[in-house]
Structures are given as structure tokens and as C-alpha cells.
Amino acid sequence: METTALKAKAAQIRMDLLKMIHGAKTGHTGGSLSNTDILTALYYRVMKIDPANPKWDGRDRFIASKGHSVESLWCILGDLGFFPKEELKTFSQFGTRLIGHPNNKVPGIEMNTGALGHGLAIGVGMALAAKRDGRDYRVFCLMGDGEQAEGSVWEAAMAGPHYKLDNLVAIIDRNRLQISGSTEEVMGLEPLEEKWAAFGWNVVSIDGNDMEQLVRAFEAPSIPGKPTLVMANTVKGKGVSFAENVAHWHHHVPSDEQLALALAELSAAIESYEQEGLVR
Ligand SMILES: [Mg+2]
């Protein structure tokens, strides 16, 4: 998918996830809006996947280590046909498999996540398995920036370069907020890029809500023997003006009025991308 179409797709996914959270009356709104562009670039352009054959052994692997922001992922997997899109209406309802965190009973989910700090270590194992099996699939792992306070992240950060896993891409959704406020107030992370570089990673810093930059970062050839860390500088609540950069929206459910306003903003964005697509 071309970048203008990817931008329109991301806006549509944002609309879908807002409706889903509004209907369920629960969800992680801010973080899902923050990571939507990252997931859209991966699932609609970069990763080798087959929704009709989710266990295809040549597939690229994706791990949502910041598992609480699952809403964008559910909407994308439903949109791609990993399961019937209608099922999104069951999100967080009693008995559903579309629970509030990734659940490997759902096609397309590699592992259960949500207890923070576990995803990258599993990603290291998957990337190491690919190397040992002589396979060319890549492993992508999305972490939160608040998640960087988990000690286990740094054990995996040491292991990736040790095993020369140039088929591993870790991504940090660097929106500078976590549930209780600014990351720098809760547990200072800076200088975060220098820390990852010191651990031996090829660090690529981008605007993580810019589709061109995301595609370029994910499609760039890896540096032989080094895993890549994409520092995706994002805005929590991205795409909904009144939710952007507001910590309170971490777990806030839009009211009827807020949903209508947000959908209007996103519809206007889609219209502008469609016009952009026509003139190209
Ligand atoms: Mg964050």
C-alpha cells in the first residue's frame, strides 16, 4: 500500500477503535491512537503475513509488548480478515476472545502480552530461532516508553546484539506519557537513544506518526550483525485534537459528544488524503 493510502487506512483504524472503545465502555484510547501509524505501516506494507494462513511459518512475527494498547491491533487484524470484523463488537464483553490484551487464541497473535517487559525477550528468542533454522523472517516488537522502566527490557536489550540478531526490530512508542504522567517525572529515561546505542543497537530516530518516515525506517536494510531500535517519537492520543498529549486519555472512554467530534475530525482527514491521492 502506498503512503497516502496508508495514512487514510490509519485514520479509518482510529475511527474503528474509537467506536469499539465507546461501545465497550472501556479501553486504552491514548496509547492505541499513538501506535496506530506504526501498526498500519507494518501490517499493510512492511510485514510478510497471510491472514488466510496465520501460522504460515515464513511469516514475519509481531509482538505487542505494550499489550494494553491492543485496540488498534484488534481493529487491524479484523480489517485484514484474521477474524470476522463483526467480532470487534464483542471487544471486552463477557466470553469474548477479543479481551483487553493480546490473546493467542486469536489468529494473528503470537503471544499473550500485557505484563510489561516480557515481549522483547520473546522476540529475541524468535529471532534467534530464525537464525538457527536458516529462515529469513523478521521479528518486530513494539514496546511502550513507560515500559522501559522494566528491568527485563534491558536483559533482552543485552541479548539482541550478543546474538547478532539483525533480523530483530524493536520499536519504542515514545509518546513521553504513561498512565500516571510524564515518563521523565515517573522514571527518567533520557538519554534513551544513547542507552540503546550503548547496548549495541542500530538506533533509528523518527517521527512515529509520519508514514513516510515509518516506511523508510522499516524498509531500510539492516546493519549486519546488529538489531535495530526504532525510536518512534509519537503523540499520545494522535489524530483526535482534544486527546493529544493528555495523560488522562490513557484509559479514558469518549463520551457520545467526544466520539462524534473525533469521528468528524478523522473523516475530514480521510477526505484530505483521498484528495491528495487523486492529484498524485
Ligand atoms: Mg507512553
Side-chain angles (χ1 to χ4, degrees):
M1 200 180 269
E2 294 306 310
T3 49
T4 307
L6 287 169
K7 291 178 203 175
K9 178 59 77 175
Q12 179 220 308
I13 296 297
R14 286 186 165 99
M15 293 174 75
D16 291 348
L17 76 88
L18 286 164
K19 285 188 251 181
M20 193 178 77
I21 289 172
H22 177 262
K25 299 186 172 51
T26 184
H28 287 88
T29 312
S32 273
L33 291 169
S34 163
N35 72 29
T36 299
D37 299 301
I38 299 167
L39 295 189
T40 302
L42 288 174
Y43 274 91
Y44 293 89
R45 164 86 177 234
V46 176
M47 289 202 301
K48 290 183 296 178
I49 48 168
D50 181 0
N53 186 10
K55 296 274 188 194
W56 168 46
D57 62 3
R59 72 191 183 281
D60 288 337
R61 273 66 166 169
F62 175 77
I63 300 169
S65 191
K66 51 171 295 187
H68 56 281
S69 297
V70 74
E71 293 82 359
S72 45
L73 182 57
W74 286 152
C75 290
I76 286 171
L77 294 179
D79 184 61
L80 286 169
F82 279 89
F83 54 80
K85 198 168 179 180
E86 275 293 293
E87 204 174 326
L88 294 173
K89 290 181 185 151
T90 71
F91 170 63
S92 268
Q93 305 302 305
F94 183 74
T96 185
R97 55 183 180 170
L98 302 184
I99 57 175
H101 290 81
N103 163 22
N104 65 9
K105 292 193 171 58
V106 180
I109 296 294
E110 302 288 347
M111 66 174 286
N112 297 340
T113 47
L116 295 170
H118 296 178
L120 188 59
I122 304 288
V124 164
M126 288 177 173
L128 185 56
K131 290 279 181 194
R132 296 203 167 164
D133 292 344
R135 307 300 303 265
D136 66 355
Y137 63 80
R138 299 167 78 197
V139 180
F140 297 87
C141 176
L142 176 65
M143 296 178 285
D145 51 1
E147 186 178 5
Q148 303 301 299
E150 298 282 351
S152 50
V153 167
W154 298 96
E155 296 179 39
M158 273 192 283
H162 176 80
Y163 291 109
K164 301 187 171 22
L165 300 177
D166 47 19
N167 54 348
L168 175 63
V169 179
I171 307 149
I172 297 178
D173 184 3
R174 183 68 171 118
N175 55 35
R176 298 181 179 268
L177 288 174
Q178 59 193 95
I179 190 165
S180 44
S182 143
T183 55
E184 297 317 292
E185 283 167 14
V186 177
M187 178 58 69
L189 300 173
E190 293 298 339
L192 190 55
E193 289 175 20
E194 285 84 344
K195 286 174 185 170
W196 280 88
F199 275 68
W201 291 65
N202 166 39
V203 176
V204 180
S205 184
I206 59 165
D207 176 341
N209 296 122
D210 182 308
M211 203 54 83
E212 280 88 1
Q213 291 188 37
L214 283 162
V215 167
R216 205 177 310 133
F218 293 142
E219 291 188 342
S222 62
I223 293 185
K226 275 195 170 197
T228 291
L229 183 281
V230 175
M231 190 66 72
N233 294 288
T234 54
V235 172
K236 200 158 181 170
K238 180 72 181 180
V240 177
S241 59
F242 50 88
E244 290 188 355
N245 270 322
V246 182
H248 166 66
W249 275 86
H250 179 90
H251 207 208
H252 185 70
V253 175
S255 66
D256 294 351
E257 294 74 21
Q258 287 170 328
L259 178 68
L261 274 173
L263 296 182
E265 287 185 12
L266 290 160
S267 297
I270 291 176
E271 214 163 284
S272 74
Y273 296 137
E274 283 170 350
Q275 283 169 3
E276 196 182 324
L278 284 175
V279 295
R280 282 189 172 181

